[in-house]
Amino acid sequence: MSSIMNKRIRLSELVVRLLIYMAAMVSVLLLVGILLYVFSRGIGSVNLTFLTTVTSTLNGTVGIAGNIVNTLYIIVITLLIATPVGIGSAIYLNEYAKQGRLVRAIEFTTEILSGIPSILFGLFGMVFFGNVLGLGYSILTGSLTLTLMILPLITRNTQEALKTVPDSYRSGALGMGAAKWHMVRTILLPSAMPGILTGVILAIGRIVGESAALLFTAGSGYLLPKAGAGILKKVLESGGTLTIQLYLSMAKAEYSTAFGIAVILLLIVLCINALTKFMARRLDVNKAS
């Protein structure tokens, strides 16, 4: 009787293991299929001219250099605002605030923010930053809107990273007479840096892939900034990112251009994920040594 039961258990384990392997293979095949399809359709459009020029009827060029620059503008500005606010909020919630209604309210707010559809962020950004503050369709408007979107991601990742630091580090530092902020700055943050950095890099991926919110806020300008003061003025001008240009190219039935942009976006996403793993490993090795 026991042998029959053992056979049934082994058979059920084999079935479950087979289903797990099949689910994993489906995920891998989906990724490989998307990569092969996009690269086969778009790799022919990617060349030096495509990457270093802007679309111009007079010059007869089709390029995305302006969109690449706009994407970099939005990434840098958004991170400059969101990273210190997100990390500072996580430090306050995890290290300074007493557990109570205020902490629960802040955590609940961040969870709600992370679940709001991006199109609603775009609507709010257009009304508040664009109209009320008078920034109009600009890179700055898009960056401020994206800041609201990635704040929960950075805050929650930083919180979880800080929670992984053993309490013995805190009690040991405080027992030796270190001030609270000195302990946070010199012990907790370096120890939690792999998780914090992972959250920031994932936020970059969210920024690069966002389109719905930027349609309402950043506009669709694709020209390169002028030298000198034009580099700073560009922040207050319309600037379409790679995802916005991809959408517009598909709407105009410019499929070769659209798939070329899709290839660039996939390469950026792959590089971001590779960089995340590389930096996390390096930081773990340094922390262990």
Side-chain angles (χ1 to χ4, degrees):
M1 186 68 178
S2 60
S3 61
I4 296 176
M5 291 294 294
N6 290 335
K7 288 182 180 179
R8 289 179 178 177
I9 293 173
R10 290 176 183 175
L11 181 60
S12 63
E13 288 181 352
L14 289 175
V15 172
V16 172
R17 185 177 298 180
L18 179 62
L19 292 174
I20 292 173
Y21 286 153
M22 289 177 61
M25 288 303 298
V26 168
S27 301
V28 174
L29 290 175
L30 281 174
L31 175 62
V32 172
I34 292 172
L35 291 175
L36 289 177
Y37 180 75
V38 172
F39 273 82
S40 63
R41 292 287 303 272
I43 196 65
S45 301
V46 179
N47 50 50
L48 188 61
T49 302
F50 185 72
L51 297 174
T52 58
T53 62
V54 297
T55 301
S56 173
T57 305
L58 295 177
N59 298 328
T61 58
V62 176
I64 58 171
N67 302 110
I68 294 175
V69 172
N70 293 336
T71 303
L72 293 176
Y73 265 102
I74 288 182
I75 290 173
V76 172
I77 296 173
T78 303
L79 289 181
L80 285 176
I81 301 172
T83 302
V85 175
I87 295 177
S89 300
I91 293 173
Y92 168 76
L93 292 173
N94 207 69
E95 304 299 328
Y96 287 92
K98 295 181 180 179
Q99 296 300 318
R101 292 183 179 179
L102 179 60
V103 172
R104 289 196 296 268
I106 295 175
E107 291 180 346
F108 179 74
T109 302
T110 57
E111 291 173 0
I112 294 296
L113 279 175
S114 62
I116 294 177
S118 58
I119 196 73
L120 295 182
F121 280 106
L123 182 62
F124 173 80
M126 178 187 68
V127 173
F128 183 71
F129 298 121
N131 296 336
V132 177
L133 299 184
L135 298 176
Y137 286 99
S138 65
I139 290 176
L140 183 58
T141 303
S143 298
L144 292 172
T145 304
L146 289 182
T147 297
L148 302 179
M149 296 179 61
I150 68 169
L151 264 178
L153 178 60
I154 296 177
T155 302
R156 298 300 291 176
N157 272 277
T158 303
Q159 272 190 280
E160 295 303 319
L162 290 172
K163 289 178 181 178
T164 61
V165 181
D167 288 335
S168 59
Y169 288 20
R170 298 174 175 84
S171 58
L174 295 175
M176 294 176 65
K180 187 71 173 284
W181 170 240
H182 182 79
M183 179 266 293
V184 171
R185 179 170 52 86
T186 60
I187 297 177
L188 295 189
L189 287 180
S191 300
M193 192 54 65
I196 296 173
L197 186 61
T198 298
V200 173
I201 296 177
L202 291 176
I204 295 176
R206 177 77 185 273
I207 295 169
V208 171
E210 185 54 46
S211 59
L214 295 177
L215 277 173
F216 290 106
T217 55
S220 58
Y222 58 87
L223 298 178
L224 288 166
K226 297 180 181 180
I231 297 176
L232 296 177
K233 290 181 180 179
K234 181 65 177 176
V235 175
L236 299 177
E237 296 176 358
S238 173
T241 60
L242 289 169
T243 52
I244 297 298
Q245 189 58 44
L246 172 60
Y247 168 78
L248 294 176
S249 297
M250 288 296 294
K252 298 175 184 176
E254 299 172 351
Y255 298 120
S256 59
T257 302
F259 277 101
I261 298 173
V263 169
I264 302 301
L265 286 172
L266 281 177
L267 290 175
I268 292 174
V269 171
L270 291 175
C271 289
I272 288 173
N273 282 275
L275 180 63
T276 302
K277 292 186 176 182
F278 173 76
M279 293 299 295
R281 289 175 181 173
R282 286 293 300 271
L283 290 171
D284 285 335
V285 170
N286 293 336
K287 186 170 66 173
S289 60

